[in-house]
PDB file of all heavy atoms in Angstrom:
ATOM      1  N   ILE O   1      99.435 104.529 117.864  1.00 96.00           N
ATOM      2  CA  ILE O   1      98.899 105.804 117.157  1.00 96.00           C
ATOM      3  C   ILE O   1      99.066 105.556 115.819  1.00 96.00           C
ATOM      4  O   ILE O   1      98.340 106.077 115.002  1.00 96.00           O
ATOM      5  CB  ILE O   1      99.592 107.044 117.778  1.00 96.00           C
ATOM      6  CG1 ILE O   1      99.368 107.080 119.213  1.00 96.00           C
ATOM      7  CG2 ILE O   1      98.868 108.285 117.099  1.00 96.00           C
ATOM      8  CD1 ILE O   1      97.986 106.885 119.691  1.00 96.00           C
ATOM      9  N   ALA O   2     100.177 104.890 115.402  1.00 96.00           N
ATOM     10  CA  ALA O   2     100.339 104.602 113.951  1.00 96.00           C
ATOM     11  C   ALA O   2      99.128 103.721 113.392  1.00 96.00           C
ATOM     12  O   ALA O   2      98.755 103.919 112.334  1.00 96.00           O
ATOM     13  CB  ALA O   2     101.704 103.823 113.641  1.00 96.00           C
ATOM     14  N   ALA O   3      98.815 102.780 114.190  1.00 95.00           N
ATOM     15  CA  ALA O   3      97.720 101.885 113.880  1.00 95.00           C
ATOM     16  C   ALA O   3      96.328 102.769 113.900  1.00 95.00           C
ATOM     17  O   ALA O   3      95.474 102.519 112.983  1.00 95.00           O
ATOM     18  CB  ALA O   3      97.535 100.832 114.917  1.00 95.00           C
ATOM     19  N   ALA O   4      96.233 103.770 114.702  1.00 97.00           N
ATOM     20  CA  ALA O   4      95.032 104.608 114.691  1.00 97.00           C
ATOM     21  C   ALA O   4      95.059 105.399 113.408  1.00 97.00           C
ATOM     22  O   ALA O   4      93.955 105.759 112.914  1.00 97.00           O
ATOM     23  CB  ALA O   4      95.043 105.577 115.885  1.00 97.00           C
ATOM     24  N   SER O   5      96.230 105.720 112.884  1.00 97.00           N
ATOM     25  CA  SER O   5      96.293 106.442 111.658  1.00 97.00           C
ATOM     26  C   SER O   5      95.704 105.703 110.437  1.00 97.00           C
ATOM     27  O   SER O   5      94.774 106.147 109.713  1.00 97.00           O
ATOM     28  CB  SER O   5      97.796 106.710 111.247  1.00 97.00           C
ATOM     29  OG  SER O   5      97.914 107.303 109.939  1.00 97.00           O
ATOM     30  N   GLY O   6      96.055 104.435 110.377  1.00 96.00           N
ATOM     31  CA  GLY O   6      95.423 103.546 109.381  1.00 96.00           C
ATOM     32  C   GLY O   6      93.890 103.418 109.411  1.00 96.00           C
ATOM     33  O   GLY O   6      93.248 103.510 108.476  1.00 96.00           O
ATOM     34  N   LEU O   7      93.416 103.254 110.742  1.00 97.00           N
ATOM     35  CA  LEU O   7      92.052 103.157 110.901  1.00 97.00           C
ATOM     36  C   LEU O   7      91.175 104.339 110.615  1.00 97.00           C
ATOM     37  O   LEU O   7      90.152 104.462 110.003  1.00 97.00           O
ATOM     38  CB  LEU O   7      91.687 102.695 112.281  1.00 97.00           C
ATOM     39  CG  LEU O   7      92.169 101.256 112.684  1.00 97.00           C
ATOM     40  CD1 LEU O   7      92.046 101.018 114.093  1.00 97.00           C
ATOM     41  CD2 LEU O   7      91.321 100.242 111.895  1.00 97.00           C
ATOM     42  N   THR O   8      91.817 105.550 111.024  1.00 97.00           N
ATOM     43  CA  THR O   8      91.163 106.769 110.664  1.00 97.00           C
ATOM     44  C   THR O   8      91.172 107.120 109.131  1.00 97.00           C
ATOM     45  O   THR O   8      90.239 107.679 108.653  1.00 97.00           O
ATOM     46  CB  THR O   8      91.826 107.906 111.398  1.00 97.00           C
ATOM     47  OG1 THR O   8      92.046 107.600 112.832  1.00 97.00           O
ATOM     48  CG2 THR O   8      91.158 109.261 111.338  1.00 97.00           C
ATOM     49  N   LEU O   9      92.202 106.783 108.492  1.00 97.00           N
ATOM     50  CA  LEU O   9      92.317 107.131 107.013  1.00 97.00           C
ATOM     51  C   LEU O   9      91.208 106.200 106.363  1.00 97.00           C
ATOM     52  O   LEU O   9      90.699 106.518 105.360  1.00 97.00           O
ATOM     53  CB  LEU O   9      93.695 106.766 106.512  1.00 97.00           C
ATOM     54  CG  LEU O   9      94.763 107.744 106.978  1.00 97.00           C
ATOM     55  CD1 LEU O   9      96.039 107.301 106.547  1.00 97.00           C
ATOM     56  CD2 LEU O   9      94.385 109.208 106.333  1.00 97.00           C
ATOM     57  N   LEU O  10      91.055 104.961 106.809  1.00 97.00           N
ATOM     58  CA  LEU O  10      90.117 104.056 106.249  1.00 97.00           C
ATOM     59  C   LEU O  10      88.596 104.682 106.461  1.00 97.00           C
ATOM     60  O   LEU O  10      87.876 104.623 105.504  1.00 97.00           O
ATOM     61  CB  LEU O  10      90.167 102.649 106.957  1.00 97.00           C
ATOM     62  CG  LEU O  10      88.933 101.661 106.622  1.00 97.00           C
ATOM     63  CD1 LEU O  10      89.021 101.278 105.091  1.00 97.00           C
ATOM     64  CD2 LEU O  10      89.024 100.484 107.462  1.00 97.00           C
ATOM     65  N   ALA O  11      88.362 105.193 107.631  1.00 97.00           N
ATOM     66  CA  ALA O  11      87.089 105.779 107.910  1.00 97.00           C
ATOM     67  C   ALA O  11      87.048 107.066 106.982  1.00 97.00           C
ATOM     68  O   ALA O  11      85.830 107.228 106.393  1.00 97.00           O
ATOM     69  CB  ALA O  11      87.053 106.310 109.406  1.00 97.00           C
ATOM     70  N   ALA O  12      87.909 107.798 106.756  1.00 97.00           N
ATOM     71  CA  ALA O  12      87.860 108.927 105.776  1.00 97.00           C
ATOM     72  C   ALA O  12      87.545 108.417 104.382  1.00 97.00           C
ATOM     73  O   ALA O  12      86.641 109.056 103.694  1.00 97.00           O
ATOM     74  CB  ALA O  12      89.227 109.634 105.765  1.00 97.00           C
ATOM     75  N   GLY O  13      88.195 107.439 104.022  1.00 96.00           N
ATOM     76  CA  GLY O  13      87.860 106.913 102.555  1.00 96.00           C
ATOM     77  C   GLY O  13      86.452 106.362 102.457  1.00 96.00           C
ATOM     78  O   GLY O  13      85.749 106.670 101.466  1.00 96.00           O
ATOM     79  N   LEU O  14      85.941 105.748 103.468  1.00 97.00           N
ATOM     80  CA  LEU O  14      84.606 105.193 103.477  1.00 97.00           C
ATOM     81  C   LEU O  14      83.595 106.362 103.438  1.00 97.00           C
ATOM     82  O   LEU O  14      82.532 106.316 102.681  1.00 97.00           O
ATOM     83  CB  LEU O  14      84.305 104.372 104.691  1.00 97.00           C
ATOM     84  CG  LEU O  14      85.047 102.970 104.724  1.00 97.00           C
ATOM     85  CD1 LEU O  14      84.849 102.285 105.996  1.00 97.00           C
ATOM     86  CD2 LEU O  14      84.713 102.147 103.573  1.00 97.00           C
ATOM     87  N   VAL O  15      83.709 107.419 104.286  1.00 97.00           N
ATOM     88  CA  VAL O  15      82.813 108.518 104.347  1.00 97.00           C
ATOM     89  C   VAL O  15      82.815 109.280 103.006  1.00 97.00           C
ATOM     90  O   VAL O  15      81.736 109.650 102.409  1.00 97.00           O
ATOM     91  CB  VAL O  15      83.118 109.459 105.500  1.00 97.00           C
ATOM     92  CG1 VAL O  15      82.212 110.673 105.456  1.00 97.00           C
ATOM     93  CG2 VAL O  15      83.024 108.767 106.802  1.00 97.00           C
ATOM     94  N   ALA O  16      84.083 109.513 102.458  1.00 96.00           N
ATOM     95  CA  ALA O  16      84.049 110.101 101.216  1.00 96.00           C
ATOM     96  C   ALA O  16      83.498 109.424 100.075  1.00 96.00           C
ATOM     97  O   ALA O  16      82.804 109.946  99.055  1.00 96.00           O
ATOM     98  CB  ALA O  16      85.555 110.393 100.803  1.00 96.00           C
ATOM     99  N   ALA O  17      83.525 108.051 100.068  1.00 96.00           N
ATOM    100  CA  ALA O  17      82.938 107.239  99.027  1.00 96.00           C
ATOM    101  C   ALA O  17      81.499 107.275  99.146  1.00 96.00           C
ATOM    102  O   ALA O  17      80.856 107.200  98.005  1.00 96.00           O
ATOM    103  CB  ALA O  17      83.467 105.826  99.175  1.00 96.00           C
ATOM    104  N   VAL O  18      80.816 107.294 100.239  1.00 95.00           N
ATOM    105  CA  VAL O  18      79.455 107.208 100.349  1.00 95.00           C
ATOM    106  C   VAL O  18      78.782 108.494 100.478  1.00 95.00           C
ATOM    107  O   VAL O  18      77.480 108.714 100.377  1.00 95.00           O
ATOM    108  CB  VAL O  18      78.992 106.414 101.608  1.00 95.00           C
ATOM    109  CG1 VAL O  18      79.623 104.934 101.426  1.00 95.00           C
ATOM    110  CG2 VAL O  18      79.394 106.984 102.957  1.00 95.00           C
ATOM    111  N   ALA O  19      79.507 109.565 100.683  1.00 94.00           N
ATOM    112  CA  ALA O  19      78.912 110.970 100.837  1.00 94.00           C
ATOM    113  C   ALA O  19      78.273 111.480  99.522  1.00 94.00           C
ATOM    114  O   ALA O  19      78.883 111.391  98.410  1.00 94.00           O
ATOM    115  CB  ALA O  19      80.069 111.929 101.153  1.00 94.00           C
ATOM    116  N   PRO O  20      76.908 111.864  99.624  1.00 93.00           N
ATOM    117  CA  PRO O  20      76.299 112.408  98.392  1.00 93.00           C
ATOM    118  C   PRO O  20      77.158 113.542  97.832  1.00 93.00           C
ATOM    119  O   PRO O  20      77.662 114.451  98.708  1.00 93.00           O
ATOM    120  CB  PRO O  20      75.012 112.907  98.877  1.00 93.00           C
ATOM    121  CG  PRO O  20      74.850 112.100 100.124  1.00 93.00           C
ATOM    122  CD  PRO O  20      76.141 111.940 100.763  1.00 93.00           C
ATOM    123  N   PRO O  21      77.286 113.691  96.548  1.00 87.00           N
ATOM    124  CA  PRO O  21      78.106 114.823  95.942  1.00 87.00           C
ATOM    125  C   PRO O  21      77.517 116.153  96.289  1.00 87.00           C
ATOM    126  O   PRO O  21      78.318 117.127  96.385  1.00 87.00           O
ATOM    127  CB  PRO O  21      78.031 114.513  94.341  1.00 87.00           C
ATOM    128  CG  PRO O  21      77.638 113.128  94.242  1.00 87.00           C
ATOM    129  CD  PRO O  21      76.905 112.773  95.437  1.00 87.00           C
ATOM    130  N   GLN O  22      76.208 116.292  96.586  1.00 88.00           N
ATOM    131  CA  GLN O  22      75.718 117.570  97.003  1.00 88.00           C
ATOM    132  C   GLN O  22      75.986 117.995  98.404  1.00 88.00           C
ATOM    133  O   GLN O  22      75.734 119.136  98.753  1.00 88.00           O
ATOM    134  CB  GLN O  22      74.177 117.531  96.754  1.00 88.00           C
ATOM    135  CG  GLN O  22      73.699 117.281  95.344  1.00 88.00           C
ATOM    136  CD  GLN O  22      73.864 115.729  94.960  1.00 88.00           C
ATOM    137  OE1 GLN O  22      73.882 114.855  95.848  1.00 88.00           O
ATOM    138  NE2 GLN O  22      73.762 115.480  93.631  1.00 88.00           N
ATOM    139  N   SER O  23      76.421 116.989  99.270  1.00 92.00           N
ATOM    140  CA  SER O  23      76.654 117.316 100.636  1.00 92.00           C
ATOM    141  C   SER O  23      78.033 117.894 100.916  1.00 92.00           C
ATOM    142  O   SER O  23      79.026 117.083 101.036  1.00 92.00           O
ATOM    143  CB  SER O  23      76.419 116.027 101.363  1.00 92.00           C
ATOM    144  OG  SER O  23      76.594 116.192 102.841  1.00 92.00           O
ATOM    145  N   VAL O  24      78.136 119.096 101.132  1.00 93.00           N
ATOM    146  CA  VAL O  24      79.385 119.794 101.452  1.00 93.00           C
ATOM    147  C   VAL O  24      79.771 119.285 102.923  1.00 93.00           C
ATOM    148  O   VAL O  24      80.996 119.161 103.178  1.00 93.00           O
ATOM    149  CB  VAL O  24      79.281 121.380 101.362  1.00 93.00           C
ATOM    150  CG1 VAL O  24      80.562 122.011 101.966  1.00 93.00           C
ATOM    151  CG2 VAL O  24      79.080 121.754  99.989  1.00 93.00           C
ATOM    152  N   ALA O  25      78.827 119.176 103.771  1.00 94.00           N
ATOM    153  CA  ALA O  25      79.014 118.883 105.171  1.00 94.00           C
ATOM    154  C   ALA O  25      79.689 117.486 105.333  1.00 94.00           C
ATOM    155  O   ALA O  25      80.730 117.347 105.993  1.00 94.00           O
ATOM    156  CB  ALA O  25      77.783 118.816 106.000  1.00 94.00           C
ATOM    157  N   LEU O  26      79.212 116.395 104.578  1.00 95.00           N
ATOM    158  CA  LEU O  26      79.841 115.156 104.655  1.00 95.00           C
ATOM    159  C   LEU O  26      81.268 114.979 103.966  1.00 95.00           C
ATOM    160  O   LEU O  26      82.116 114.382 104.454  1.00 95.00           O
ATOM    161  CB  LEU O  26      78.885 114.011 104.005  1.00 95.00           C
ATOM    162  CG  LEU O  26      77.687 113.538 104.902  1.00 95.00           C
ATOM    163  CD1 LEU O  26      76.821 112.531 104.039  1.00 95.00           C
ATOM    164  CD2 LEU O  26      78.244 112.958 106.118  1.00 95.00           C
ATOM    165  N   LEU O  27      81.367 115.728 102.901  1.00 95.00           N
ATOM    166  CA  LEU O  27      82.657 115.868 102.362  1.00 95.00           C
ATOM    167  C   LEU O  27      83.643 116.508 103.259  1.00 95.00           C
ATOM    168  O   LEU O  27      84.872 116.111 103.376  1.00 95.00           O
ATOM    169  CB  LEU O  27      82.636 116.554 100.988  1.00 95.00           C
ATOM    170  CG  LEU O  27      82.008 115.859  99.855  1.00 95.00           C
ATOM    171  CD1 LEU O  27      81.753 116.848  98.580  1.00 95.00           C
ATOM    172  CD2 LEU O  27      82.812 114.608  99.410  1.00 95.00           C
ATOM    173  N   ALA O  28      83.178 117.477 103.962  1.00 95.00           N
ATOM    174  CA  ALA O  28      84.020 118.182 105.030  1.00 95.00           C
ATOM    175  C   ALA O  28      84.410 117.206 106.203  1.00 95.00           C
ATOM    176  O   ALA O  28      85.561 117.273 106.564  1.00 95.00           O
ATOM    177  CB  ALA O  28      83.326 119.350 105.589  1.00 95.00           C
ATOM    178  N   VAL O  29      83.506 116.415 106.494  1.00 97.00           N
ATOM    179  CA  VAL O  29      83.723 115.294 107.593  1.00 97.00           C
ATOM    180  C   VAL O  29      84.749 114.379 107.106  1.00 97.00           C
ATOM    181  O   VAL O  29      85.710 113.951 107.807  1.00 97.00           O
ATOM    182  CB  VAL O  29      82.380 114.582 107.943  1.00 97.00           C
ATOM    183  CG1 VAL O  29      82.753 113.327 108.807  1.00 97.00           C
ATOM    184  CG2 VAL O  29      81.450 115.398 108.646  1.00 97.00           C
TER     185      VAL O  29
END
């Protein structure tokens, strides 16, 4: 589960980086 933490945080960073600034929904994800 510690490893799952690292992978999930990576996914969060990737989604935040590519999310259009106008998209509240993607920023929420």
